[in-house]
């Protein structure tokens, strides 16, 4: 789960990470009021959306007068901001963060991620932070500092100092950088984060250290024990297809193609996407119906898949172990009738109660397309979607 920049900053500041003063605004009037609370100096008006690269998309505006603040707020609120991370649809700006402007001397990149290969938290830092970090990490990978944290002892002060020295900052800055780095680490660990990114972490002309931007993501499987994190969720920033399915206990990820997938097991769901691609088609989603799925759950899955208006054909692929093919088949038949589905539905069943399952489909009188293997099912689904297009 992602959260907004202002939310991440608030969390991080509780762990001792210095942030600029700022306030939230939902209207141009509130924006100027928030700015007046900060004093009379320049402010930065920042669009709050679940995406980075807002600066390059015009979502970050430095304002020197009340009129400029009002204009910036007016132009951003209610608009869909398209960055190169949002996709062409963009993301709706409904909140602004108004922050006192900072005199930047140096922009540092600081990131914390789970490194799955080493099963450790990895700290990544670069002296060349700011808006072009992707380019720099591609062109000069040797300038990136990497430190991995031993989970038995946690991150140590000396490791934070190593990062600070590696960044080549003045000794007086090192002592300010170390608590900021340690604070981010503690926030990552204590809040079940999967990512913390400060880009840029700034050294100001006045020789202080502040997090000018902040991004955090959280492990959704841990949200049950982090209610104060769970409540930071902003559904308006999520793919509505995913919100719908996930709110109904389905494991669903939206994709860009036109073949809807109803599959059991995450591994088989991934394999199904691969097979569709191999057959020359594009999947519309990843969906794992889970084990022991009832006919009702299958219908729920069909409903979720059909909310995507790009879907032209549906592929059901079930390898039943704990599941039962007869239940799934009943679910498929019920769904087609109940939801009045007219698009082609391709079904491949294997495993527990497969014969009973096939019979239910055959005797339904519906024109379901059957397949014996995954490859055959994928080919048939791709052909059906192409015909319907
Ligand atoms: P992002 O583009 O979504 O990553 O948004 P950021 O919050 O990182 O802002 C983008 C860029 O705007 C930063 O890298 C800074 O260079 C610049 N910026 C943001 N806040 C300030 C500020 O207070 N003063 C100045 N001079 N530049 C700022
Ligand atoms: Mn940034």
């Amino acid at each position: 789960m992602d959260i907004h920049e202002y939310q991440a900053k608030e969390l991080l500041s509780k762990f001792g990470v210095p942030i600029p003063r700022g306030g939230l605004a939902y209207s141009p009037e509130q924006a100027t009021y928030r700015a007046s609370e900060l004093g009379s100096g320049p402010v930065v008006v920042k669009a709050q959306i679940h995406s980075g690269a807002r600066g390059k998309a015009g979502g970050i505006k430095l304002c020197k007068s009340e009129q400029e603040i009002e204009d910036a707020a007016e132009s951003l609120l209610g608009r869909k901001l398209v960055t190169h991370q949002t996709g062409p649809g963009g993301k709706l700006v409904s909140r602004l963060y108004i922050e006192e402007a900072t005199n930047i001397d140096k922009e540092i990149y600081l990131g914390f991620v789970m490194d799955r290969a080493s099963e450790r938290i990895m700290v990544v830092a670069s002296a060349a932070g700011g808006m072009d970090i992707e380019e720099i990490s591609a062109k000069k990978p040797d300038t990136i500092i990497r430190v991995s944290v031993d989970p038995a002892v946690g991150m140590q002060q000396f490791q934070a100092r190593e990062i600070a020295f590696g960044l080549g900052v003045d000794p007086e800055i090192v002592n300010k950088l170390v608590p900021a780095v340690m604070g981010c680490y503690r926030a990552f660990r204590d809040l079940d984060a999967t990512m913390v990114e400060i880009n840029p972490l700034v050294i100001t002309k006045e020789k202080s250290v502040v997090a000018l931007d902040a991004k955090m993501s959280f492990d959704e499987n841990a949200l049950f024990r982090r209610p104060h994190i769970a409540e930071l969720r902003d559904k308006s920033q999520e793919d509505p297809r995913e919100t719908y399915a996930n709110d109904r206990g389905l494991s669903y990820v939206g994709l860009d193609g036109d073949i809807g997938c109803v599959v059991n097991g995450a591994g088989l769901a991934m394999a199904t996407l691969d097979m569709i691609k191999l057959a020359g088609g594009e999947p519309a989603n990843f969906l794992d119906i889970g084990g022991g799925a009832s006919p009702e759950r299958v219908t729920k899955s069909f409903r979720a898949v059909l909310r995507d208006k790009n879907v032209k054909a549906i592929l059901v692929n079930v390898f039943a172990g704990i599941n039962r093919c007869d239940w799934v088949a009943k679910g498929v038949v019920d769904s087609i009738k109940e939801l009045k589905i007219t698009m082609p539905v391709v079904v491949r069943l294997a495993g527990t109660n497969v014969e009973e399952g096939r019979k239910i489909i055959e005797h339904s009188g519906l024109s379901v397309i059957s397949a014996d293997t995954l490859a055959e099912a994928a080919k048939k689904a791709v052909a059906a979607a192409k015909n319907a297009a």
Side-chain angles (χ1 to χ4, degrees):
M1 185 188 82
D2 295 334
I3 60 171
H4 287 294
E5 172 198 2
Y6 76 92
Q7 295 168 327
K9 281 180 168 165
E10 205 173 299
L11 291 173
L12 290 169
S13 78
K14 292 198 183 113
F15 287 84
V17 180
I19 56 165
R21 292 186 308 136
L24 201 62
Y26 292 88
S27 69
E29 192 211 0
Q30 263 183 338
T32 52
Y33 185 72
R34 289 283 166 260
S36 72
E37 285 178 332
L38 298 172
S40 56
V43 298
V44 184
V45 175
K46 310 187 80 176
Q48 297 299 293
I49 56 169
H50 287 184
S51 168
R54 295 163 301 166
K56 286 192 172 166
I60 309 288
K61 294 187 196 284
L62 181 67
C63 301
K64 298 207 168 82
S65 68
E66 199 173 301
Q67 192 57 49
E68 280 179 19
I69 297 164
E70 211 175 303
D71 293 347
E74 174 83 44
S75 75
L76 288 171
L77 282 168
R79 179 176 129 198
K80 284 209 166 165
L81 194 64
V82 180
T83 75
H84 64 75
Q85 295 176 7
T86 58
K91 288 203 168 162
L92 182 67
V93 183
S94 51
R95 307 172 198 193
L96 299 173
Y97 193 52
I98 317 297
E99 206 171 60
E100 63 183 353
T102 303
N103 293 317
I104 301 175
D105 184 34
K106 211 168 164 353
E107 294 190 312
I108 290 167
Y109 175 92
L110 180 65
F112 295 74
V113 287
M114 263 321 284
D115 178 38
R116 288 176 194 279
S118 63
E119 299 177 4
R120 288 171 179 214
I121 296 173
M122 178 81 86
V123 192
V124 183
S126 166
M131 296 199 278
D132 297 314
I133 184 70
E134 279 90 359
E135 213 174 291
I136 286 152
S137 67
K139 281 188 189 151
K140 294 186 192 161
D142 48 315
T143 61
I144 307 283
I145 301 164
R146 285 190 179 79
V147 169
S148 117
V149 179
D150 185 333
V153 291
M155 186 165 190
Q156 302 293 303
Q157 293 270 340
F158 82 85
Q159 292 183 299
R161 273 200 299 278
E162 221 168 76
I163 291 169
F165 284 119
L167 291 168
V169 300
D170 298 341
E172 57 165 322
I173 300 291
V174 171
N175 289 333
K176 295 177 178 167
L177 210 57
V178 168
V181 174
M182 294 301 291
C184 289
Y185 165 74
R186 283 191 207 104
F188 186 110
R189 183 197 59 192
D190 292 359
L191 302 177
D192 290 311
T194 52
M195 189 267 289
V196 173
E197 187 187 74
I198 313 294
N199 185 35
L201 178 65
V202 157
I203 299 168
T204 68
K205 296 221 167 88
E206 299 81 19
K207 306 266 175 236
S208 64
V209 170
V210 297
L212 213 56
D213 190 10
K215 248 177 126 173
M216 287 183 87
S217 293
F218 298 89
D219 184 347
E220 276 159 44
N221 295 312
L223 287 179
F224 74 94
R225 63 179 188 190
R226 305 275 171 235
H228 68 295
I229 301 292
E231 73 181 17
L232 300 179
R233 185 168 171 196
D234 179 358
K235 290 185 186 178
S236 76
Q237 296 292 311
E238 298 173 2
D239 183 331
R241 298 175 297 171
E242 291 181 7
T243 308
Y244 177 91
N246 298 341
D247 281 352
R248 284 154 186 81
L250 297 166
S251 176
Y252 175 106
V253 179
L255 300 167
D256 300 326
D258 56 7
I259 299 174
C261 301
V262 176
V263 188
N264 77 295
L268 189 60
M270 297 286 279
T272 305
L273 305 186
D274 284 346
M275 291 305 275
I276 289 171
K277 283 268 199 185
L278 196 63
E282 291 292 335
N285 66 278
F286 163 102
L287 195 165
D288 171 12
I289 62 170
S294 63
E296 290 75 23
R297 190 169 168 83
V298 174
T299 303
K300 214 188 246 187
S301 304
F302 267 79
R303 272 187 211 281
V305 166
L306 287 168
R307 287 182 74 83
D308 182 345
K309 294 302 160 216
N310 291 329
V311 170
K312 297 201 179 66
I314 297 174
L315 169 52
V316 179
N317 183 23
V318 170
F319 193 100
I322 302 168
N323 270 305
R324 292 170 45 173
C325 286
D326 52 331
W327 280 13
V328 173
K330 184 171 183 323
V332 171
V333 169
D334 290 352
S335 301
I336 295 175
K337 288 182 180 162
E338 211 178 300
L339 308 176
K340 302 186 173 60
I341 297 173
T342 52
M343 69 177 72
V345 178
V346 180
V347 178
R348 180 254 177 167
L349 299 173
T352 309
N353 293 356
V354 65
E355 286 315 319
E356 291 89 330
R358 287 197 182 137
K359 270 185 203 137
I360 289 171
I361 298 224
E362 269 165 38
H363 297 158
S364 69
L366 299 168
S367 60
V368 175
I369 304 166
S370 290
D372 288 329
T373 66
L374 172 50
E376 185 193 339
K379 266 187 207 147
K380 285 181 168 171
V382 172
K386 287 209 169 122
N387 270 339

